Amino acid sequence: GENVEQHPSTLSVQEGDSAVIKCTYSDSASNYFPWYKQELGKGPQLIIDIRSNVGEKKDQRIAVTLNKTAKHFSLHITETQPEDSAVYFCAAGRDDKIIFGKGTRLHILP
Amino acid sequence: DSGVTQTPKHLITATGQRVTLRCSPRSGDLSVYWYQQSLDQGLQFLIQYYNGEERAKGNILERFSAQQFPDLHSELNLSSLELGDSALYFCASSVQSTGDNEQFFGPGTRLTVL
């Protein structure tokens, strides 16, 4: 069946450095690719999303890139800060379903 | 605050019991999703309702059931509970029924089965 693979499962970066999380999806009909951030004790919250007609989207320190041919998309966080520490989920959605990756636990080291 | 509310926050019960988790979606959202989150298991989609009707089904066990009421709140019923059912259960809502729209997640219900 369709799935979304997310790597790495855990990522530690020095404060101020960049972090990159990658996802691949199998369903070529997917057209919506959101990223959610889950802080400790809270529900996931959308931080950025991209649709299939766009290759890249940026919002301040966060950017997402999409390669539809290769069926992969990535989240880039620049100038990381302590408040970026959280679990990040990617997902691939289409009209009748959305599938989440297993998550990446990001640690920002002081 | 996403605008989605879930009750209770915590639930501790014994194996074999039955519990009901409640979710109120954001005002105006017609779609409600239920997810299970276990340690290192990501977000497992259970079931979706749209305007009172079941829209999609994921990896939901037969011991679990859900419904969405006319006021659009939803309940997830878990019966014959097993130790492995211990997890965080999230409800999310969205305006439309399709999977290509933002979902707003509630704070979750932590279920512990002893």
Side-chain angles (χ1 to χ4, degrees):
Chain A
E2 295 94 1
N3 73 315
V4 174
E5 292 193 5
Q6 182 171 347
H7 299 281
S9 57
T10 306
L11 178 61
S12 296
V13 300
Q14 214 65 41
E15 183 179 345
D17 288 350
S18 296
V20 180
I21 303 170
K22 298 183 179 184
C23 288
T24 59
Y25 61 98
S26 59
D27 185 356
S28 55
S30 297
N31 59 5
Y32 176 64
F33 306 92
W35 286 88
Y36 286 82
K37 176 183 181 182
Q38 184 179 17
E39 296 177 336
L40 198 61
K42 297 184 178 180
Q45 183 178 12
L46 182 77
I47 55 171
I48 195 167
D49 57 10
I50 192 168
R51 296 193 181 268
S52 58
N53 57 350
V54 175
E56 185 173 354
K57 185 176 178 181
K58 192 171 180 181
D59 182 4
Q60 299 183 334
R61 297 186 297 107
I62 293 173
V64 57
T65 59
L66 170 65
N67 183 327
K68 278 219 78 177
T69 304
K71 291 195 220 154
H72 65 71
F73 56 113
S74 302
L75 177 71
H76 304 252
I77 306 174
T78 58
E79 300 172 16
T80 52
Q81 299 170 4
E83 55 265 35
D84 295 329
S85 291
V87 177
Y88 293 80
F89 292 97
C90 65
R94 46 182 264 185
D95 55 353
D96 62 343
K97 67 174 74 170
I98 184 165
I99 300 174
F100 285 83
K102 287 191 179 292
T104 295
R105 187 172 297 277
L106 175 63
H107 299 277
I108 306 300
L109 306 172
Chain B
D1 183 1
S2 67
V4 178
T5 60
Q6 287 187 251
T7 56
K9 274 187 81 78
H10 302 278
L11 201 46
I12 301 174
T13 188
T15 54
Q17 295 298 305
R18 173 189 168 95
V19 297
T20 297
L21 313 184
R22 184 188 167 102
C23 168
S24 292
R26 283 189 332 154
S27 177
D29 285 358
L30 299 179
S31 215
V32 169
Y33 302 78
W34 284 99
Y35 293 89
Q36 180 190 59
Q37 185 177 41
S38 305
L39 276 174
D40 300 325
Q41 287 296 310
L43 288 163
Q44 297 292 319
F45 168 64
L46 297 177
I47 197 164
Q48 179 200 1
Y49 279 81
Y50 179 76
N51 204 19
E53 301 284 328
E54 183 183 301
R55 177 77 167 71
K57 228 169 182 174
N59 300 320
I60 188 166
L61 300 172
E62 283 193 16
R63 300 184 285 110
F64 296 0
S65 65
Q67 54 184 327
Q68 186 178 30
F69 295 86
D71 67 352
L72 300 178
H73 92 270
S74 177
E75 292 181 356
L76 179 67
N77 300 295
L78 315 177
S79 61
S80 303
L81 285 167
E82 302 174 359
L83 295 177
D85 298 327
S86 294
L88 265 171
Y89 291 84
F90 286 104
C91 159
S93 73
S94 66
V95 173
Q96 297 180 25
S97 64
T98 55
D100 52 1
N101 288 276
E102 179 178 2
Q103 294 183 24
F104 296 85
F105 283 79
T109 292
R110 181 173 293 283
L111 173 66
T112 303
V113 182
L114 301 175

